[in-house]
Amino acid sequence: MFLILFGAPGVGKGTQAEKICAEYNIPQISTGEMLRAAIKEGTDLGKKAKILMDKGQLVPDDVIMGIIDERIKNDDCKNGFILDGFPRTIRQAEEFTAMLEKHDIPEFTCVEIYVPNEAILERLLARGREDDSKETILNRLEVYQAQTAPVKEYYQKARKFFSVDGNKSIDEVFNEIKNLAIN
Ligand code: AMP
């Protein structure tokens, strides 16, 4: 299964990605998780990324594309993988399409988990991650509207795109995503 889980911060992409990966035995590739790991390790990349992440801003496209290119070359990606939190800009989406052709990877299904903005703020405040202060969250939602929401149109035009209601139960959302991504 080659799947992009799309949606604003806090809609449950990480939760669903974990469940799907466990069921299909394929890796979850979360750029946010990889950046948080780099911060923990104290690498140069981590140090630079932290400043932007703490403000709710995006890490530069070139950095993200480098991370993705390295990761998808791994053998464990051959039978599929799930992207969670990537692509987040039109440029990332365009470069990813070119990268897939280069690596001979099949087309992706893009499934959006949709939750209205009011509910997202509540969910993120409840999650309590380090970059989840109210100010950072509001910033991330603005960045999402401005830079990431247009990615949806990119996949609507060019590829398979579906939307599921993220207010349904975790298991209902899980089943809907599976049905869409398998077909
Ligand atoms: P996430 O865990 O996906 O919410 O990501 C946390 C933070 O990492 C985001 O607010 C961004 O600062 C950064 N980040 C993660 N993925 C990307 C990406 N694909 N492009 C740019 N920045 C990213």
Side-chain angles (χ1 to χ4, degrees):
M1 179 185 294
F2 293 89
L3 174 69
I4 293 171
L5 276 181
F6 189 75
V11 297
K13 297 189 295 292
T15 305
Q16 294 296 336
E18 261 175 47
K19 284 175 75 73
I20 294 165
C21 291
E23 183 145 325
Y24 292 91
N25 199 22
I26 51 176
Q28 168 188 5
I29 301 182
S30 158
T31 41
E33 287 296 331
M34 289 161 101
L35 293 168
R36 280 187 288 280
I39 292 174
K40 257 198 181 158
E41 285 167 26
T43 63
D44 276 354
L45 164 69
K47 282 176 198 151
K48 285 185 192 142
K50 186 173 186 333
I51 298 168
L52 295 165
M53 289 165 77
D54 282 347
K55 287 193 252 180
Q57 289 172 5
L58 295 184
V59 171
D61 289 334
D62 286 345
V63 175
I64 298 290
M65 295 316 296
I67 295 177
I68 289 286
D69 193 39
E70 268 305 304
R71 181 65 188 86
I72 67 176
K73 280 183 204 155
N74 275 16
D75 273 356
D76 66 342
C77 291
K78 291 252 152 32
N79 294 324
F81 55 95
I82 296 187
L83 289 163
D84 147 25
F86 172 90
R88 252 180 162 98
T89 64
I90 291 276
R91 212 186 116 201
Q92 289 179 18
E94 286 172 349
E95 290 188 14
F96 183 56
T97 302
M99 205 178 267
L100 293 181
E101 279 168 20
K102 190 179 93 190
H103 291 300
D104 232 354
I105 295 172
E107 269 197 32
F108 270 67
T109 304
C110 184
V111 179
E112 173 191 46
I113 306 177
Y114 179 74
V115 175
N117 261 355
E118 310 83 77
I120 287 179
L121 185 60
E122 229 168 88
R123 282 181 183 220
L124 285 176
L125 284 171
R127 183 169 77 175
R129 215 170 62 190
E130 202 188 317
D131 57 347
D132 282 344
S133 76
K134 191 167 178 189
E135 201 192 337
T136 303
I137 291 169
L138 290 175
N139 227 332
R140 288 223 301 270
L141 291 176
E142 251 175 53
V143 167
Y144 180 80
Q145 284 310 331
Q147 300 189 60
T148 306
V151 173
K152 177 173 163 171
E153 282 143 46
Y154 176 86
Y155 283 102
Q156 272 170 331
K157 271 189 220 144
R159 305 192 176 252
K160 291 194 279 182
F161 182 91
F162 304 96
S163 194
V164 302
D165 176 0
N167 272 329
K168 291 188 176 168
S169 75
I170 289 178
D171 282 335
E172 275 175 304
V173 174
F174 181 48
N175 284 325
E176 286 189 23
I177 294 173
K178 279 197 293 186
N179 286 335
L180 291 168
I182 288 167
N183 296 332

